[in-house]
Amino acid sequence: MHNFLLVLEFILALALMIVVLMQPSKADGLKGFITGGSETFFSKNKSRTKEALLVKLTVVTAVLFAITTIALNIV
Protein backbone atom coordinates (compact mmCIF):
# COMPACT_ATOMS: atom_id res chain seq x y z
CA MET A 1 0.00 0.00 0.00
CA HIS A 2 2.80 2.40 0.91
CA ASN A 3 4.64 1.78 -2.37
CA PHE A 4 1.45 2.31 -4.37
CA LEU A 5 0.84 5.64 -2.65
CA LEU A 6 4.43 6.72 -3.27
CA VAL A 7 4.16 5.94 -6.98
CA LEU A 8 0.79 7.71 -7.16
CA GLU A 9 2.26 10.73 -5.36
CA PHE A 10 5.14 10.89 -7.83
CA ILE A 11 2.81 10.65 -10.84
CA LEU A 12 0.49 13.32 -9.44
CA ALA A 13 3.44 15.61 -8.71
CA LEU A 14 4.62 15.33 -12.32
CA ALA A 15 1.10 15.84 -13.64
CA LEU A 16 0.61 18.91 -11.46
CA MET A 17 3.86 20.46 -12.66
CA ILE A 18 2.98 19.82 -16.30
CA VAL A 19 -0.56 21.20 -15.99
CA VAL A 20 0.65 24.36 -14.21
CA LEU A 21 3.37 24.98 -16.78
CA MET A 22 0.90 24.56 -19.66
CA GLN A 23 -1.31 27.41 -18.42
CA PRO A 24 -0.95 30.74 -20.23
CA SER A 25 0.30 33.85 -18.49
CA LYS A 26 -2.32 36.09 -16.89
CA ALA A 27 -0.40 39.28 -17.70
CA ASP A 28 -1.63 41.06 -20.80
CA GLY A 29 1.35 43.35 -21.14
CA LEU A 30 0.99 45.74 -24.07
CA LYS A 31 -1.78 43.69 -25.65
CA GLY A 32 -4.43 45.20 -23.38
CA PHE A 33 -3.05 48.69 -23.93
CA ILE A 34 -3.03 48.44 -27.73
CA THR A 35 -6.39 46.72 -28.17
CA GLY A 36 -8.07 48.67 -25.40
CA GLY A 37 -8.99 45.51 -23.52
CA SER A 38 -12.03 44.88 -25.66
CA GLU A 39 -14.14 41.82 -25.09
CA THR A 40 -13.70 39.02 -27.58
CA PHE A 41 -15.61 35.85 -28.30
CA PHE A 42 -13.10 33.86 -26.28
CA SER A 43 -13.27 36.12 -23.24
CA LYS A 44 -17.07 35.83 -23.21
CA ASN A 45 -16.96 32.02 -23.52
CA LYS A 46 -14.02 31.46 -21.21
CA SER A 47 -15.64 28.47 -19.50
CA ARG A 48 -15.40 26.45 -22.71
CA THR A 49 -11.77 27.14 -23.59
CA LYS A 50 -8.56 25.21 -23.10
CA GLU A 51 -7.58 27.54 -20.26
CA ALA A 52 -10.70 26.62 -18.31
CA LEU A 53 -9.95 22.93 -18.77
CA LEU A 54 -6.39 23.44 -17.53
CA VAL A 55 -7.64 25.31 -14.44
CA LYS A 56 -10.05 22.48 -13.62
CA LEU A 57 -7.31 19.89 -14.17
CA THR A 58 -5.00 21.85 -11.87
CA VAL A 59 -7.57 21.91 -9.08
CA VAL A 60 -8.38 18.20 -9.40
CA THR A 61 -4.71 17.21 -9.52
CA ALA A 62 -3.84 19.41 -6.53
CA VAL A 63 -6.69 17.96 -4.46
CA LEU A 64 -5.65 14.39 -5.33
CA PHE A 65 -2.04 15.25 -4.49
CA ALA A 66 -3.11 16.60 -1.09
CA ILE A 67 -5.21 13.51 -0.39
CA THR A 68 -2.35 11.14 -1.23
CA THR A 69 0.03 13.20 0.92
CA ILE A 70 -2.31 12.89 3.89
CA ALA A 71 -2.76 9.18 3.21
CA LEU A 72 1.00 8.69 3.14
CA ASN A 73 1.33 10.40 6.53
CA ILE A 74 -1.38 8.20 8.00
CA VAL A 75 0.07 4.95 6.63
Side-chain angles (χ1 to χ4, degrees):
M1 182 72 172
H2 188 265
N3 289 336
F4 172 73
L5 287 174
L6 278 175
V7 170
L8 185 63
E9 181 94 3
F10 181 72
I11 292 170
L12 286 172
L14 286 176
L16 186 59
M17 285 187 276
I18 290 169
V19 170
V20 167
L21 289 174
M22 286 178 58
Q23 291 183 4
S25 173
K26 298 288 182 188
D28 280 337
L30 285 176
K31 182 178 130 184
F33 178 70
I34 294 171
T35 61
S38 62
E39 297 239 350
T40 63
F41 175 75
F42 293 111
S43 65
K44 291 179 183 176
N45 296 317
K46 198 148 186 102
S47 64
R48 299 180 185 169
T49 61
K50 184 179 102 170
E51 290 94 12
L53 176 66
L54 287 174
V55 168
K56 290 175 187 173
L57 268 172
T58 303
V59 170
V60 169
T61 308
V63 168
L64 289 175
F65 184 80
I67 290 171
T68 56
T69 302
I70 293 169
L72 273 170
N73 284 328
I74 292 173
V75 170

Coordinates of all heavy atoms in Angstrom, one line a residue:
M1 N 0.8 -1.2 0.0 CA 0.0 0.0 0.0 C 0.9 1.3 0.0 O 0.6 2.2 -0.7 CB -0.9 0.0 1.2 CG -1.8 1.1 1.3 SD -3.1 1.0 0.1 CE -4.2 2.3 0.6
H2 N 1.9 1.2 0.8 CA 2.8 2.4 0.9 C 3.5 2.7 -0.4 O 3.6 3.8 -0.8 CB 3.8 2.2 2.0 CG 4.6 3.4 2.3 ND1 5.9 3.6 1.8 CD2 4.4 4.5 3.1 CE1 6.4 4.7 2.2 NE2 5.5 5.3 3.0
N3 N 4.0 1.6 -1.1 CA 4.6 1.8 -2.4 C 3.7 2.3 -3.4 O 4.1 3.2 -4.3 CB 5.3 0.5 -2.8 CG 6.5 0.1 -2.0 OD1 7.1 0.9 -1.4 ND2 6.7 -1.2 -2.0
F4 N 2.5 1.8 -3.4 CA 1.5 2.3 -4.4 C 1.2 3.8 -4.2 O 1.1 4.6 -5.1 CB 0.1 1.5 -4.2 CG -1.0 2.1 -5.0 CD1 -1.0 1.9 -6.4 CD2 -2.0 2.8 -4.4 CE1 -2.1 2.4 -7.1 CE2 -3.1 3.3 -5.1 CZ -3.1 3.1 -6.5
L5 N 1.1 4.2 -2.9 CA 0.8 5.6 -2.6 C 2.0 6.5 -3.0 O 1.9 7.6 -3.5 CB 0.5 5.9 -1.2 CG -0.9 5.4 -0.7 CD1 -1.0 5.5 0.8 CD2 -2.0 6.2 -1.4
L6 N 3.2 6.0 -2.9 CA 4.4 6.7 -3.3 C 4.5 6.9 -4.8 O 4.8 8.0 -5.3 CB 5.7 6.0 -2.8 CG 6.1 6.3 -1.4 CD1 7.3 5.4 -1.0 CD2 6.4 7.7 -1.2
V7 N 4.2 5.8 -5.5 CA 4.2 5.9 -7.0 C 3.1 6.9 -7.4 O 3.3 7.7 -8.3 CB 4.0 4.5 -7.6 CG1 3.7 4.6 -9.1 CG2 5.2 3.7 -7.3
L8 N 1.9 6.8 -6.8 CA 0.8 7.7 -7.2 C 1.1 9.2 -6.8 O 0.8 10.1 -7.6 CB -0.5 7.3 -6.4 CG -1.7 8.1 -6.7 CD1 -2.1 7.9 -8.2 CD2 -2.9 7.6 -5.8
E9 N 1.8 9.4 -5.7 CA 2.3 10.7 -5.4 C 3.2 11.3 -6.4 O 3.2 12.5 -6.8 CB 2.9 10.7 -4.0 CG 3.4 12.0 -3.5 CD 2.4 12.7 -2.6 OE1 1.3 12.1 -2.3 OE2 2.7 13.8 -2.2
F10 N 4.2 10.5 -6.8 CA 5.1 10.9 -7.8 C 4.5 11.2 -9.2 O 4.8 12.3 -9.8 CB 6.2 9.8 -8.0 CG 7.2 10.1 -9.0 CD1 8.2 11.1 -8.7 CD2 7.3 9.5 -10.3 CE1 9.2 11.4 -9.6 CE2 8.2 9.9 -11.2 CZ 9.2 10.8 -10.9
I11 N 3.5 10.4 -9.6 CA 2.8 10.6 -10.8 C 2.0 11.9 -10.7 O 2.0 12.7 -11.7 CB 1.9 9.4 -11.2 CG1 2.8 8.2 -11.6 CG2 1.0 9.8 -12.3 CD1 2.1 6.9 -11.7
L12 N 1.3 12.1 -9.6 CA 0.5 13.3 -9.4 C 1.4 14.6 -9.4 O 1.0 15.6 -9.9 CB -0.4 13.2 -8.2 CG -1.6 12.3 -8.3 CD1 -2.2 12.1 -6.9 CD2 -2.6 12.8 -9.3
A13 N 2.5 14.5 -8.8 CA 3.4 15.6 -8.7 C 3.9 16.0 -10.1 O 3.9 17.2 -10.5 CB 4.6 15.3 -7.8
L14 N 4.2 15.0 -10.9 CA 4.6 15.3 -12.3 C 3.5 15.9 -13.1 O 3.6 16.9 -13.9 CB 5.1 14.1 -13.0 CG 6.5 13.6 -12.6 CD1 6.8 12.3 -13.3 CD2 7.6 14.6 -12.9
A15 N 2.3 15.3 -12.9 CA 1.1 15.8 -13.6 C 0.8 17.3 -13.2 O 0.4 18.1 -14.1 CB -0.1 14.9 -13.4
L16 N 0.9 17.6 -11.9 CA 0.6 18.9 -11.5 C 1.6 19.9 -12.0 O 1.2 21.0 -12.5 CB 0.6 18.9 -9.9 CG 0.2 20.2 -9.2 CD1 -1.2 20.6 -9.6 CD2 0.3 20.1 -7.7
M17 N 2.9 19.6 -12.1 CA 3.9 20.5 -12.7 C 3.6 20.7 -14.1 O 3.7 21.9 -14.6 CB 5.3 19.9 -12.5 CG 5.8 20.0 -11.1 SD 7.5 19.5 -11.0 CE 7.3 17.7 -10.8
I18 N 3.2 19.7 -14.9 CA 3.0 19.8 -16.3 C 1.7 20.7 -16.5 O 1.8 21.6 -17.4 CB 2.8 18.4 -17.0 CG1 4.2 17.7 -17.0 CG2 2.3 18.5 -18.4 CD1 4.1 16.3 -17.4
V19 N 0.7 20.4 -15.8 CA -0.6 21.2 -16.0 C -0.3 22.7 -15.7 O -0.8 23.6 -16.4 CB -1.7 20.6 -15.2 CG1 -2.9 21.5 -15.1 CG2 -2.1 19.2 -15.7
V20 N 0.4 23.0 -14.6 CA 0.6 24.4 -14.2 C 1.5 25.0 -15.3 O 1.2 26.2 -15.6 CB 1.3 24.4 -12.8 CG1 1.9 25.8 -12.5 CG2 0.3 24.0 -11.8
L21 N 2.5 24.4 -15.8 CA 3.4 25.0 -16.8 C 2.7 25.2 -18.1 O 3.1 26.0 -18.9 CB 4.6 24.1 -17.0 CG 5.6 24.2 -15.8 CD1 6.8 23.2 -16.0 CD2 6.1 25.6 -15.6
M22 N 1.6 24.4 -18.4 CA 0.9 24.6 -19.7 C 0.0 25.8 -19.7 O -0.5 26.2 -20.7 CB 0.1 23.3 -20.0 CG 1.0 22.1 -20.4 SD 0.0 20.6 -20.7 CE -1.1 21.2 -21.9
Q23 N -0.4 26.3 -18.5 CA -1.3 27.4 -18.4 C -0.7 28.7 -19.0 O 0.5 28.9 -18.7 CB -1.8 27.6 -17.0 CG -2.6 26.5 -16.5 CD -3.1 26.8 -15.1 OE1 -2.9 27.8 -14.5 NE2 -3.8 25.8 -14.5
P24 N -1.5 29.5 -19.7 CA -0.9 30.7 -20.2 C -0.8 31.8 -19.1 O -1.4 31.7 -18.1 CB -2.0 31.2 -21.2 CG -3.3 30.6 -20.7 CD -2.9 29.3 -20.1
S25 N 0.0 32.8 -19.4 CA 0.3 33.8 -18.5 C -0.9 34.7 -18.3 O -1.7 34.9 -19.3 CB 1.5 34.7 -19.0 OG 1.6 35.8 -18.2
K26 N -1.2 35.2 -17.1 CA -2.3 36.1 -16.9 C -2.0 37.6 -17.2 O -2.9 38.4 -17.4 CB -2.7 36.0 -15.4 CG -3.2 34.6 -15.0 CD -4.5 34.3 -15.6 CE -4.9 32.9 -15.1 NZ -6.1 32.4 -15.7
A27 N -0.8 37.9 -17.4 CA -0.4 39.3 -17.7 C -0.6 39.6 -19.2 O -0.2 38.9 -20.0 CB 1.1 39.5 -17.3
D28 N -1.4 40.7 -19.4 CA -1.6 41.1 -20.8 C -0.5 41.8 -21.4 O -0.3 41.8 -22.6 CB -2.9 41.9 -20.9 CG -4.2 41.1 -20.8 OD1 -4.1 39.9 -21.2 OD2 -5.2 41.6 -20.4
G29 N 0.3 42.5 -20.6 CA 1.4 43.3 -21.1 C 0.8 44.5 -22.0 O -0.1 45.2 -21.6
L30 N 1.4 44.7 -23.2 CA 1.0 45.7 -24.1 C -0.3 45.4 -24.9 O -0.9 46.2 -25.5 CB 2.1 46.1 -25.0 CG 3.3 46.9 -24.5 CD1 4.4 47.1 -25.5 CD2 2.8 48.2 -24.0
K31 N -0.6 44.1 -24.9 CA -1.8 43.7 -25.7 C -3.0 44.4 -25.2 O -3.8 44.9 -26.0 CB -1.9 42.2 -25.5 CG -3.1 41.6 -26.3 CD -3.1 40.1 -26.2 CE -4.5 39.7 -25.8 NZ -4.7 38.3 -25.6
G32 N -3.3 44.5 -23.9 CA -4.4 45.2 -23.4 C -4.4 46.7 -23.6 O -5.4 47.3 -23.8
F33 N -3.2 47.3 -23.7 CA -3.1 48.7 -23.9 C -3.3 49.0 -25.4 O -4.0 50.0 -25.7 CB -1.6 49.1 -23.6 CG -1.4 50.6 -23.8 CD1 -2.0 51.6 -23.1 CD2 -0.5 51.0 -24.9 CE1 -1.8 52.9 -23.3 CE2 -0.3 52.3 -25.1 CZ -0.9 53.3 -24.3
I34 N -2.9 48.2 -26.3 CA -3.0 48.4 -27.7 C -4.5 48.2 -28.2 O -5.1 49.0 -28.9 CB -2.0 47.6 -28.5 CG1 -0.6 48.0 -28.3 CG2 -2.3 47.7 -30.0 CD1 0.4 47.1 -28.8
T35 N -5.0 47.1 -27.7 CA -6.4 46.7 -28.2 C -7.5 47.4 -27.3 O -8.6 47.3 -27.7 CB -6.6 45.2 -28.1 OG1 -6.4 44.8 -26.8 CG2 -5.6 44.5 -29.0
G36 N -7.1 48.0 -26.2 CA -8.1 48.7 -25.4 C -8.8 47.7 -24.5 O -9.8 48.1 -23.8
G37 N -8.4 46.5 -24.4 CA -9.0 45.5 -23.5 C -10.4 45.1 -23.9 O -11.2 44.9 -23.1
S38 N -10.7 45.2 -25.2 CA -12.0 44.9 -25.7 C -12.4 43.4 -25.4 O -11.5 42.6 -25.4 CB -12.2 45.2 -27.1 OG -11.3 44.4 -27.9
E39 N -13.7 43.2 -25.3 CA -14.1 41.8 -25.1 C -14.1 41.1 -26.4 O -14.6 41.6 -27.4 CB -15.6 41.9 -24.5 CG -15.6 42.5 -23.2 CD -16.2 41.6 -22.1 OE1 -16.7 40.5 -22.5 OE2 -16.1 41.9 -21.0
T40 N -13.7 39.8 -26.4 CA -13.7 39.0 -27.6 C -14.6 37.8 -27.4 O -15.2 37.6 -26.3 CB -12.3 38.5 -27.9 OG1 -11.9 37.7 -26.8 CG2 -11.3 39.6 -28.1
F41 N -14.8 37.1 -28.4 CA -15.6 35.9 -28.3 C -15.0 34.9 -27.2 O -15.8 34.3 -26.5 CB -15.7 35.2 -29.7 CG -16.4 33.9 -29.6 CD1 -17.8 33.8 -29.6 CD2 -15.7 32.7 -29.7 CE1 -18.5 32.6 -29.5 CE2 -16.4 31.4 -29.6 CZ -17.8 31.4 -29.6
F42 N -13.7 34.8 -27.2 CA -13.1 33.9 -26.3 C -13.2 34.3 -24.8 O -13.3 33.5 -23.9 CB -11.7 33.6 -26.7 CG -11.5 32.9 -28.0 CD1 -11.0 33.5 -29.1 CD2 -11.9 31.6 -28.1 CE1 -10.9 32.8 -30.3 CE2 -11.8 30.9 -29.3 CZ -11.3 31.5 -30.4
S43 N -13.2 35.6 -24.6 CA -13.3 36.1 -23.2 C -14.7 36.0 -22.7 O -14.9 35.8 -21.5 CB -12.8 37.6 -23.2 OG -13.7 38.4 -23.9
K44 N -15.7 36.0 -23.6 CA -17.1 35.8 -23.2 C -17.4 34.4 -22.9 O -18.2 34.0 -22.1 CB -18.0 36.4 -24.3 CG -18.0 37.9 -24.4 CD -18.9 38.3 -25.5 CE -18.8 39.8 -25.7 NZ -19.7 40.3 -26.8
N45 N -16.7 33.5 -23.7 CA -17.0 32.0 -23.5 C -15.8 31.3 -22.9 O -15.3 30.3 -23.3 CB -17.2 31.4 -24.9 CG -18.5 31.9 -25.5 OD1 -19.5 32.1 -24.8 ND2 -18.5 32.2 -26.8
K46 N -15.2 31.9 -21.8 CA -14.0 31.5 -21.2 C -14.2 30.1 -20.5 O -13.3 29.3 -20.4 CB -13.5 32.5 -20.2 CG -12.1 32.3 -19.8 CD -11.5 33.6 -19.5 CE -10.0 33.4 -19.3 NZ -9.2 33.8 -20.4
S47 N -15.4 29.7 -20.2 CA -15.6 28.5 -19.5 C -15.5 27.3 -20.4 O -15.4 26.2 -20.0 CB -17.0 28.5 -18.8 OG -18.0 28.5 -19.8
R48 N -15.5 27.5 -21.7 CA -15.4 26.4 -22.7 C -14.0 26.3 -23.4 O -13.9 25.6 -24.3 CB -16.4 26.6 -23.8 CG -17.8 26.6 -23.3 CD -18.8 26.8 -24.4 NE -20.2 26.9 -23.8 CZ -21.2 27.3 -24.5 NH1 -21.1 27.6 -25.8 NH2 -22.4 27.4 -23.9
T49 N -13.1 27.1 -22.9 CA -11.8 27.1 -23.6 C -10.8 26.2 -23.0 O -11.1 25.5 -21.9 CB -11.2 28.6 -23.5 OG1 -11.0 28.9 -22.2 CG2 -12.1 29.6 -24.2
K50 N -9.6 26.1 -23.6 CA -8.6 25.2 -23.1 C -8.1 25.7 -21.7 O -7.7 24.9 -20.9 CB -7.4 25.2 -24.1 CG -6.3 24.3 -23.8 CD -5.2 24.3 -24.8 CE -4.1 25.1 -24.3 NZ -2.9 25.0 -25.2
E51 N -8.0 27.0 -21.5 CA -7.6 27.5 -20.3 C -8.5 27.1 -19.1 O -8.0 26.8 -18.0 CB -7.5 29.1 -20.3 CG -6.4 29.6 -21.2 CD -6.9 29.9 -22.6 OE1 -8.1 29.9 -22.8 OE2 -6.0 30.1 -23.4
A52 N -9.8 27.1 -19.4 CA -10.7 26.6 -18.3 C -10.5 25.1 -18.0 O -10.5 24.7 -16.8 CB -12.1 26.9 -18.7
L53 N -10.2 24.3 -19.0 CA -10.0 22.9 -18.8 C -8.7 22.7 -18.0 O -8.6 21.9 -17.0 CB -9.8 22.2 -20.1 CG -9.5 20.7 -20.0 CD1 -10.6 19.9 -19.3 CD2 -9.2 20.2 -21.4
L54 N -7.6 23.5 -18.3 CA -6.4 23.4 -17.5 C -6.6 23.9 -16.1 O -6.0 23.3 -15.2 CB -5.3 24.3 -18.2 CG -4.8 23.7 -19.5 CD1 -3.8 24.7 -20.2 CD2 -4.1 22.4 -19.3
V55 N -7.4 24.9 -15.8 CA -7.6 25.3 -14.4 C -8.3 24.2 -13.7 O -8.0 23.9 -12.5 CB -8.5 26.6 -14.4 CG1 -9.0 26.9 -13.0 CG2 -7.6 27.8 -15.0
K56 N -9.3 23.6 -14.3 CA -10.1 22.5 -13.6 C -9.1 21.3 -13.4 O -9.2 20.7 -12.3 CB -11.2 22.0 -14.5 CG -12.3 23.1 -14.5 CD -13.4 22.7 -15.5 CE -14.5 23.8 -15.6 NZ -15.5 23.5 -16.7
L57 N -8.3 21.0 -14.3 CA -7.3 19.9 -14.2 C -6.3 20.2 -13.0 O -5.9 19.3 -12.3 CB -6.5 19.6 -15.5 CG -7.1 18.6 -16.4 CD1 -6.4 18.6 -17.7 CD2 -7.1 17.2 -15.8
T58 N -5.9 21.4 -12.9 CA -5.0 21.8 -11.9 C -5.6 21.6 -10.5 O -5.0 21.1 -9.6 CB -4.6 23.3 -12.0 OG1 -4.0 23.5 -13.3 CG2 -3.6 23.7 -11.0
V59 N -6.9 22.1 -10.4 CA -7.6 21.9 -9.1 C -7.7 20.4 -8.7 O -7.5 20.0 -7.6 CB -8.9 22.6 -9.1 CG1 -9.8 22.3 -7.9 CG2 -8.7 24.1 -9.2
V60 N -8.2 19.6 -9.7 CA -8.4 18.2 -9.4 C -7.1 17.5 -9.0 O -7.0 16.8 -8.1 CB -9.0 17.5 -10.6 CG1 -9.0 16.0 -10.5 CG2 -10.5 18.0 -10.8
T61 N -6.0 17.8 -9.8 CA -4.7 17.2 -9.5 C -4.2 17.6 -8.2 O -3.6 16.8 -7.4 CB -3.7 17.6 -10.6 OG1 -4.3 17.3 -11.9 CG2 -2.4 16.8 -10.5
A62 N -4.3 18.9 -7.8 CA -3.8 19.4 -6.5 C -4.6 18.8 -5.4 O -4.0 18.4 -4.3 CB -4.0 20.9 -6.5
V63 N -5.9 18.6 -5.5 CA -6.7 18.0 -4.5 C -6.3 16.5 -4.3 O -6.1 16.0 -3.2 CB -8.2 18.1 -4.7 CG1 -9.0 17.2 -3.8 CG2 -8.6 19.5 -4.6
L64 N -6.1 15.8 -5.4 CA -5.7 14.4 -5.3 C -4.3 14.3 -4.7 O -4.0 13.4 -3.9 CB -5.7 13.8 -6.7 CG -7.1 13.5 -7.3 CD1 -6.9 13.0 -8.7 CD2 -7.8 12.5 -6.4
F65 N -3.4 15.2 -5.1 CA -2.0 15.3 -4.5 C -2.1 15.5 -3.0 O -1.4 14.8 -2.2 CB -1.2 16.4 -5.2 CG 0.2 16.4 -4.7 CD1 1.1 15.6 -5.2 CD2 0.6 17.4 -3.8 CE1 2.5 15.6 -4.8 CE2 1.9 17.4 -3.4 CZ 2.8 16.5 -3.9
A66 N -3.0 16.4 -2.5 CA -3.1 16.6 -1.1 C -3.7 15.4 -0.4 O -3.2 15.0 0.7 CB -4.0 17.8 -0.9
I67 N -4.6 14.7 -1.0 CA -5.2 13.5 -0.4 C -4.2 12.4 -0.3 O -4.1 11.7 0.8 CB -6.4 13.0 -1.2 CG1 -7.6 14.0 -1.0 CG2 -6.9 11.6 -0.8 CD1 -8.8 13.8 -1.9
T68 N -3.4 12.2 -1.3 CA -2.4 11.1 -1.2 C -1.3 11.5 -0.2 O -0.7 10.6 0.4 CB -1.7 10.9 -2.6 OG1 -1.2 12.1 -3.1 CG2 -2.7 10.3 -3.5
T69 N -1.0 12.8 -0.1 CA 0.0 13.2 0.9 C -0.5 12.9 2.3 O 0.3 12.4 3.2 CB 0.3 14.7 0.8 OG1 0.8 15.0 -0.6 CG2 1.4 15.2 1.8
I70 N -1.7 13.2 2.6 CA -2.3 12.9 3.9 C -2.4 11.4 4.1 O -2.1 10.9 5.2 CB -3.7 13.5 4.0 CG1 -3.6 15.1 4.0 CG2 -4.4 13.0 5.2 CD1 -4.9 15.8 3.9
A71 N -2.7 10.6 3.1 CA -2.8 9.2 3.2 C -1.4 8.6 3.5 O -1.3 7.6 4.3 CB -3.4 8.6 1.9
L72 N -0.4 9.2 2.9 CA 1.0 8.7 3.1 C 1.4 9.0 4.6 O 2.2 8.2 5.2 CB 2.0 9.4 2.2 CG 2.2 8.7 0.9 CD1 3.0 9.5 -0.1 CD2 2.8 7.3 1.0
N73 N 1.0 10.1 5.1 CA 1.3 10.4 6.5 C 0.6 9.5 7.5 O 1.1 9.2 8.6 CB 1.0 11.9 6.8 CG 2.0 12.8 6.2 OD1 3.2 12.4 6.1 ND2 1.6 14.0 5.8
I74 N -0.6 9.1 7.1 CA -1.4 8.2 8.0 C -0.8 6.8 8.0 O -0.7 6.1 9.0 CB -2.9 8.2 7.6 CG1 -3.5 9.6 7.9 CG2 -3.7 7.1 8.3 CD1 -4.9 9.8 7.4
V75 N -0.4 6.3 6.8 CA 0.1 4.9 6.6 C 1.4 4.8 7.2 O 2.3 5.2 7.5 CB 0.1 4.5 5.2 CG1 0.8 3.2 5.0 CG2 -1.3 4.5 4.7

